[in-house]
Amino acid sequence: MIVGIDAGGTLIKVAYTEKGKVHFEKYPIAEMEQVADWVNGLGDCQVCVTGGKSGVLVSLLNQSVQEMVEFEATHLGVQVLLKEMNLLEDAYLVTNVGTGTSIHCIQDNVQERLGGTGVGGGTLIGLSHLLTGVTRYDEIVELASRGSRDRIDLKVKHIYEGKEPPISGELTASNFGQDLFSISSDLTKEELLATVIGLVGETVSTVSVQAARQCRSSTIVYIGSSFIDNPLLKEVVKSYTILRGSVPVFPDNGEFSGAMGAMSVL
Ligand code: ATP
Ligand code: MG
């Protein structure tokens, strides 16, 4: 069996090939020991690990394993996914919305990290929890999908009252920017959570389309577990990316790119 593991700040992603078939699993980082026990019990296998927590995982393993820088692993994994979708181009951007967000330009098989933002999936969970008390990711995204941002976000058209704005009035001028003092106790969890996802999605896509200027492509491949079962985040990121003239791609299993890339070198 060959096994690729991406141990990130929040989730451990595992890709393994057994009898020619690829399997994917993910675990919370708190279950690191169970993942290590599983690997230790496999017997004859080859393992490659990547991600910020890979050092901790390696210290729990009985066998020697290969290690890889996560940016390289992610790049290789995305290449495999794009090939499968017949979308592989000579140049594209990759935005990985993990706990934090990292942006990369891939040109002629070489990846370069262009930057990122601390606004990512960790912000999504953390800010959501602080505002509403909700702890579970699936509950956060479900409630958010039923919420409206209308009473919380300030749009350009709200500022340009009675006057034609120089840019689209529908753009967000200020996330959480409306006069909230008088309605704060009246706002629902659904509204607050939808607005948190709006903040994360608009920040991630704004930084990505700006980074695209440093890359000779305008295709942006969005990956990371923050998109799992999260159609609202996808929609915010997709519409903003298109509005700014770039082409968004959301590959299936994109959150397993790092694990797949690690597996691909074995
Ligand atoms: P990083 O790459 O920044 O080190 P990571 O690899 O752990 O972190 P991902 O797994 O890509 O990051 O994404 C983590 C995010 O995915 C979380 O912050 C959260 O928003 C979202 N998420 C999706 N499913 C879950 C889940 N079951 N539990 C917790 N968070 C989840
Ligand atoms: Mg990661």
Side-chain angles (χ1 to χ4, degrees), residues 32 49 53-63 65-67:
M32 172 97 74
V49 296
K53 301 275 187 204
S54 57
V56 187
L57 180 63
V58 167
S59 72
L60 298 170
L61 298 178
N62 296 337
Q63 67 180 97
V65 297
Q66 210 163 311
E67 288 184 64

Side-chain angles (χ1 to χ4, degrees), residues 69-149:
V69 176
E70 70 171 290
F71 299 155
E72 259 330 293
T74 304
H75 156 51
L76 293 180
V78 169
Q79 238 177 7
V80 173
L81 291 174
L82 292 179
K83 231 182 241 169
E84 279 173 9
M85 296 168 79
N86 278 330
L87 287 177
L88 190 58
E89 298 172 28
D90 290 342
Y92 51 92
L93 276 98
V94 173
T95 295
N96 186 358
V97 190
T99 312
T101 298
S102 195
I103 302 170
H104 308 259
C105 171
I106 286 87
Q107 293 183 137
D108 306 320
N109 271 331
V110 177
Q111 80 80 23
E112 180 191 3
R113 186 175 189 273
L114 298 180
T117 164
V119 176
T123 316
L124 194 166
I125 297 184
L127 206 50
S128 292
H129 176 66
L130 288 176
L131 288 172
T132 64
V134 179
T135 44
R136 283 198 0 241
Y137 171 80
D138 54 351
E139 197 182 343
I140 290 170
V141 295
E142 198 278 318
L143 288 169
S145 71
R146 292 190 268 123
S148 161
R149 299 158 61 189

Side-chain angles (χ1 to χ4, degrees), residues 1-8 11-18 21-27 35 38-39 42 45-51 54 57 61 65-68 73 77 255-266:
M1 191 194 286
I2 58 171
V3 184
I5 305 178
D6 173 11
L11 298 172
I12 303 171
K13 280 75 62 183
V14 180
Y16 63 95
T17 307
E18 202 178 25
K21 197 171 177 310
V22 182
H23 302 265
F24 300 114
E25 311 274 359
K26 57 180 179 304
Y27 306 87
V35 175
W38 175 75
V39 175
L42 285 177
C45 66
Q46 284 175 287
V47 183
C48 179
V49 296
T50 189
S54 57
L57 180 63
L61 298 178
V65 297
Q66 210 163 311
E67 288 184 64
M68 206 175 166
E255 67 274 22
F256 290 101
S257 301
M260 284 175 67
M263 191 173 67
S264 75
V265 298
L266 294 169

